[in-house]
Amino acid sequence: MGNHNKLLQFLRPDPAAPAPADNKQPSSSSDDEDDGYASSSAPTTGATTPTTTNTSAAASPFAMSPWTQLPGLGFGAGDGYGGGADANKTGLLGSLVKADGHVYSLAAAGDLLYTGTDSRTVRVWRDRRDLGGLRSASGLVKAIVVAADGRIYTGHQDGKVRVWRASADDPAAHRRVGSLPGLRDVLASALRPSRYVQTRRRRSGLWMRHFDAVSALCLDAAAGLIYSGSWDRTFKVWRASDSRCLESVYAHGDAVNAVAAAGFDALVLTGSADGTVKVWRRGARGRRGRDTWHTMERVLREGDSAVTAIAVSAEARVVYVGSSDGAVAHWQWRRGAPPGGAPRNGGALRGHKMAVLCLAVAGRVVVSGSADRTICVWRREEGADHARLAVLKGHTGPVKCVAMDEEEEEDGSGGARRWVVYSGSLDGSVKVWRVSASGGGAHGDAATPARSWKGASPSPLRPWTPYAAAPEPKHMGAA
């Protein structure tokens, strides 16, 4: 959170320079081979210079940036950067377009921004520069997460999770340091028939490998675990310290689209195209209690619409679930409740006309991106009430991924709390927005009606199913 001012520095224009023309930077191609396990270096490139026909703007450093000024940015005395009257307004800060294809995933870490597309490169951006990419032989990058120790995990269409690390000498340079599962674990299990499972393609494979696209990744830093969800209907649990697969759970009857560690009560949530959200509790087994084992506690949601995204506010113990019917349902777990206690349902937030594709939470603010090409910003009020602060419009394609964090407040500013929102779209662009807790700006909207938490039924669709009434999911664990 403290480094987001650094990331926003490259959006600050030269006040003496006119607005640059819109540009599109061509992408570089690579024929790198990736065996999926051995470490390899990912070459990086220096700053790229977009071409422009505006000769007067070309003299400005801001004109050399891939972040281009768009209509409505309003740079000037009241642009929100110079401390003008509009500094707390909600609106668009900038847009980044790269000829890498559709944007499926993104992650912001400090002063770096990572974007994943359907090309073979995860782009790295900092200070108006394209720092190159994290390159592999796989195409579409569906998920990116960044660990506190600097490791970057990327989930790919080919079913692999690749691990990258920034160079100690140059934080902008990255190299691949492995994959999940590691080569050593694969070789140790390859000769053991008990380590193989039947796949839905009528073929067998190692239990620790995903055999379809990795659709979701999340980190549980406190537990030292990584969770990966896949279209192969499983989620897998990995130990971050040695990249070892601890557990594989056949969790749903259709593709797993979302997985999220709650950050409280050792809970993990998974959402699927089968319309269900399941709550899992992490425990231990074995004679010494060292083996991680997840048991299903309840089916939180059942319905005909696919679950597309899950986000958690650990501080408030609230879980948000986005679905293909355009709704964002939410539940709260009571503090001090006994283990296994039922959460309270707060209803659904309805601000989209088409499917919700992504969610992000920071503090009291919730952001949802949709196939209707808009982004809704909500603020959690007392109880289950949520006020819609803004509807952000600007993308020309479905909004596939969002990330956000609170913007560091300048000393003595005394203004309303503000958040930076990053959105990636299938239109091939990444946009950066400023969202103020006070709303305002041309995108502001009215509050939603007040609601109270409901304890009788955690799901707005069907009654939840207790674990005792549900079939036992298929597990495979490390020996």
Side-chain angles (χ1 to χ4, degrees):
M1 179 177 70
N3 290 323
H4 277 275
N5 275 353
K6 299 179 182 178
L7 185 57
L8 289 174
Q9 289 300 319
F10 65 91
L11 293 174
R12 198 183 301 265
D14 183 352
D22 289 342
N23 300 285
K24 180 178 288 187
Q25 178 67 31
S27 63
S28 60
S29 60
S30 172
D31 293 326
D32 293 355
E33 293 297 327
D34 180 10
D35 60 4
Y37 301 102
S39 298
S40 63
S41 297
T44 59
T45 62
T48 58
T49 305
T51 59
T52 178
T53 57
N54 188 338
T55 56
S56 62
S60 168
F62 182 61
M64 310 294 283
S65 172
W67 290 87
T68 56
Q69 181 170 337
L70 298 181
L73 272 161
F75 289 121
D79 61 1
Y81 289 101
D86 295 333
N88 291 325
K89 288 183 64 175
T90 293
L92 179 66
L93 296 180
S95 182
L96 174 63
V97 179
K98 194 77 173 177
D100 282 344
H102 307 312
V103 179
Y104 283 90
S105 56
L106 57 82
D111 57 353
L112 296 178
L113 180 67
Y114 301 87
T115 59
T117 67
D118 51 9
S119 72
R120 295 186 295 177
T121 302
V122 177
R123 290 285 170 189
V124 186
W125 303 91
R126 185 180 66 182
D127 291 339
R128 297 181 296 189
R129 292 185 299 161
D130 172 11
L131 302 181
L134 285 56
R135 302 179 183 178
S136 68
S138 174
L140 195 152
V141 181
K142 297 186 69 66
I144 306 173
V145 293
V146 182
D149 62 1
R151 282 181 291 181
I152 300 99
Y153 298 86
T154 56
H156 296 257
Q157 182 78 21
D158 63 1
K160 295 176 181 176
V161 179
R162 290 171 172 85
V163 188
W164 314 80
R165 186 184 290 275
S167 169
D169 299 328
D170 182 8
H174 295 75
R175 65 186 182 93
R176 192 168 62 87
V177 296
S179 298
L180 303 180
L183 180 60
R184 180 179 299 178
D185 291 335
V186 171
L187 294 178
S189 301
L191 299 179
R192 300 175 60 184
S194 62
R195 300 287 90 186
Y196 286 80
V197 295
Q198 192 75 19
T199 69
R200 67 180 181 184
R201 295 173 182 171
R202 299 182 181 179
R203 299 167 60 183
S204 61
L206 286 176
W207 69 273
M208 63 182 65
R209 278 181 171 173
H210 286 298
F211 60 86
D212 209 334
V214 175
S215 55
L217 293 171
C218 79
L219 293 170
D220 189 335
L225 299 175
I226 305 162
Y227 293 89
S228 60
S230 171
W231 288 354
D232 64 10
R233 310 183 187 187
T234 71
F235 76 89
K236 300 188 189 297
V237 187
W238 312 83
R239 189 162 54 208
S241 60
D242 58 5
S243 300
R244 188 184 184 192
C245 186
L246 303 178
E247 187 182 0
S248 177
V249 183
Y250 189 89
H252 291 272
D254 208 333
V256 176
N257 291 328
V259 59
F264 57 86
D265 295 350
L267 297 180
V268 178
L269 299 100
T270 57
S272 169
D274 65 10
T276 64
V277 174
K278 296 184 179 180
V279 181
W280 309 81
R281 186 176 294 275
R282 185 179 66 252
R285 66 167 189 166
R287 287 184 295 179
R288 298 185 179 180
R290 295 181 179 178
D291 298 333
T292 298
W293 198 252
H294 289 73
T295 56
M296 191 173 72
E297 185 169 278
R298 70 180 67 252
V299 177
L300 187 65
R301 175 197 191 273
E302 289 183 293
D304 296 328
S305 56
V307 176
T308 53
I310 299 175
V312 181
S313 173
E315 301 84 2
R317 301 168 68 89
V318 177
V319 170
Y320 297 88
V321 174
S323 55
S324 61
D325 61 359
V328 179
H330 53 292
W331 293 261
Q332 184 187 50
W333 272 255
R334 295 182 180 90
R335 296 185 185 276
R344 299 179 294 175
N345 171 240
L349 309 177
R350 298 189 179 273
H352 295 288
K353 298 178 181 179
M354 299 177 69
V356 173
L357 301 180
C358 50
L359 291 170
V361 180
R364 287 182 170 267
V365 176
V366 185
V367 171
S368 59
S370 170
D372 65 9
R373 302 177 293 180
T374 67
I375 303 164
C376 283
V377 184
W378 311 83
R379 181 181 61 210
R380 189 177 65 255
E381 307 289 354
E382 296 299 325
D385 183 24
H386 285 70
R388 188 167 62 185
L389 298 180
V391 178
L392 308 179
K393 300 178 181 180
H395 283 293
T396 59
V399 180
K400 195 66 177 68
C401 50
V402 290
M404 65 178 299
D405 207 342
E406 188 169 2
E407 185 179 346
E408 188 176 74
E409 191 173 306
E410 296 182 3
D411 294 339
S413 63
R417 296 177 66 185
R418 300 180 301 189
W419 286 263
V420 179
V421 176
Y422 311 90
S423 60
S425 170
L426 298 188
D427 64 11
S429 71
V430 175
K431 296 186 184 296
V432 180
W433 314 79
R434 168 174 287 152
V435 173
S436 171
S438 61
H443 302 290
D445 210 339
T448 59
R451 296 183 177 91
S452 59
W453 296 107
K454 302 174 183 177
S457 174
S459 172
L461 300 172
R462 301 177 189 170
W464 62 272
T465 305
Y467 170 65
E472 175 69 25
K474 299 177 183 178
H475 283 70
M476 289 289 290

